C-alpha cells in the first residue's frame, strides 16, 4: 500500500528545506484552503512517524531520510520555554507572521509521538529534549492537581480542559515518571474509557521497563 499508493501520491509535494530539513506541502486539490503551503506540524509528523516505524519492517532508506529531515524541521521550530518547549501549530514560512499561534494539546500529541519515535530510532532527538516535552505538560499545561486534574487546551496554558488526548503524551513517563501520575489521574477522572486501555497498558510497561521506583512515581 505504501509503495503503490501513499508514496507516489505524496512525492510531488515533498519540499527540501535549508540545513538538510524537509516537509510536505499541501496538495493542489481545489478543496485545499492553502494549496502549496507547508503542512502543519502534526500532519507531516504522521508521515515521519510512519516512515520511521516502517524501517523495522522493510528497509526503505529514502523514507528514513525523509523522516529524519521532517523530524529535524520540527525540532528547529521548538523554542525553549522554562524547562519545557513552546511551538506553533503551523509554520509555513520564515517571515514575520508566517505562523499560527501555539499548538493545541490534541494535535501536540502527534508532535510528541514523532519526537518519541525519533528518539527510539536513534535520530534527531535526545533524552533531555524529550524531558522538555514532559515538562511542557507538567509545568505549563497541568493544573497541578491529582484529585481534580485538568490539562490546558494549548501547550502554553493551563486554561481549558477539552482537548488533551492522553495518547502519546503518557509515553513521556519514560523520561519523567510524574507524567504517568497525571495521565492516570485524568484517565480515572474520565471514568476509565476502554478505548484508552491499550495506551495506558503500554505506558505502564514503558514506566516499569525503565525502572522507575514507586517513590519516584509519587
Amino acid at each position: 500500500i505504501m509503495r503503490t499508493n501513499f508514496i507516489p501520491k505524496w512525492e510531488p509535494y515533498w519540499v527540501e528545506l535549508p540545513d538538510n530539513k524537509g516537509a510536505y506541502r499541501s496538495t493542489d486539490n481545489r478543496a485545499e484552503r492553502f494549496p502549496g503551503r507547508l503542512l502543519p506540524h502534526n500532519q507531516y509528523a504522521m508521515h515521519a512517524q510512519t516512515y520511521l516505524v516502517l524501517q523495522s519492517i522493510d528497509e526503505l532508506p529514502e523514507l528514513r531520510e525523509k523522516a529524519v529531515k521532517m523530524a529535524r524541521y520540527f525540532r528547529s521550530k521548538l523554542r525553549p520555554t522554562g524547562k519545557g518547549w513552546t511551538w506553533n501549530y503551523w509554520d509555513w514560512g520564515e517571515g514575520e507572521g508566517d505562523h499560527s499561534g501555539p499548538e493545541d494539546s490534541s494535535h501536540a500529541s502527534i508532535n510528541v509521538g514523532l519526537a518519541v519515535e525519533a528518539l527510539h530510532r536513534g535520530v534527531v532527538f535526545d533524552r533531555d529534549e524529550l524531558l522538555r516535552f514532559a515538562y511542557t505538560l507538567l509545568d505549563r499545561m497541568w493544573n497541578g492537581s491529582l484529585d481534580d486534574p485538568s490539562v490546558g487546551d494549548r501547550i502554553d496554558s493551563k486554561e481549558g480542559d477539552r482537548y488533551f488526548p492522553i495518547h502519546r503524551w503518557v509515553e513521556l513517563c519514560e523520561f519523567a515518571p510524574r507524567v504517568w501520575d497525571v495521565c492516570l489521574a485524568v484517565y480515572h477522572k474520565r471514568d476509565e474509557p476502554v478505548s484508552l486501555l491499550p495506551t495506558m497498558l503500554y505506558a505502564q510497561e514503558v514506566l516499569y521497563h525503565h525502572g522507575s521506583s514507586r517513590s519516584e512515581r509519587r
Side-chain angles (χ1 to χ4, degrees):
I1 291 173
M2 292 296 294
R3 287 185 185 278
T4 61
N5 294 290
F6 189 88
I7 297 170
K9 173 186 175 180
W10 281 100
E11 275 309 290
Y13 302 101
W14 175 254
V15 180
E16 290 284 341
L17 297 169
D19 301 320
N20 207 22
K21 300 189 287 282
Y24 285 99
R25 60 183 177 86
S26 297
T27 71
D28 297 325
N29 191 302
R30 288 187 296 175
E32 292 282 0
R33 289 185 63 193
F34 303 103
R37 180 180 285 186
L38 289 179
L39 292 176
H41 296 300
N42 73 91
Q43 293 183 24
Y44 71 76
M46 292 303 298
H47 294 261
Q49 289 178 67
T50 302
Y51 293 176
L52 287 171
V53 171
L54 277 176
Q55 302 308 304
S56 62
I57 303 169
D58 188 8
E59 286 294 330
L60 298 168
E62 69 279 10
L63 296 190
R64 177 182 171 83
E65 182 180 355
K66 283 185 167 60
V68 171
K69 288 181 177 181
M70 286 185 275
R72 196 175 286 133
Y73 176 60
F74 174 58
R75 172 63 183 84
S76 74
K77 297 302 180 181
L78 298 174
R79 304 185 299 277
T81 308
K83 292 162 63 176
W85 294 119
T86 302
W87 68 95
N88 299 321
Y89 165 73
W90 199 355
D91 292 282
W92 57 82
E94 301 298 333
E96 185 70 25
D98 287 347
H99 58 80
S100 68
E103 179 65 279
D104 66 78
S105 62
S106 178
H107 288 113
S109 68
I110 303 173
N111 307 141
V112 168
L114 171 56
V116 170
E117 290 295 342
L119 175 80
H120 289 166
R121 311 290 166 172
V123 297
V124 181
F125 285 91
D126 62 33
R127 294 186 67 85
D128 287 341
E129 291 169 330
L130 266 294
L131 182 60
R132 278 190 174 273
F133 284 105
Y135 278 121
T136 301
L137 169 61
L138 297 173
D139 290 356
R140 298 174 59 77
M141 300 167 64
W142 173 45
N143 69 347
S145 171
L146 293 177
D147 296 323
D148 186 22
S150 68
V151 179
D153 290 339
R154 301 188 320 186
I155 59 162
D156 65 339
S157 173
K158 294 178 172 61
E159 296 299 316
D161 187 27
R162 297 172 293 174
Y163 304 138
F164 183 64
I166 297 180
H167 179 63
R168 301 314 300 255
W169 280 106
V170 69
E171 295 174 39
L172 296 172
C173 68
E174 176 181 345
F175 314 99
R178 190 66 165 173
V179 170
W180 167 258
D181 298 327
V182 174
C183 290
L184 183 63
V186 173
Y187 178 67
H188 288 321
K189 182 179 179 180
R190 294 179 180 177
D191 296 324
E192 302 180 357
V194 173
S195 61
L196 281 174
L197 264 176
T199 293
M200 300 303 290
L201 289 171
Y202 173 72
Q204 188 177 53
E205 179 67 18
V206 167
L207 182 70
Y208 281 90
H209 177 73
H210 287 275
S212 302
S213 70
R214 185 173 298 275
S215 61
E216 283 179 309
R217 292 198 301 277
R218 290 178 177 173

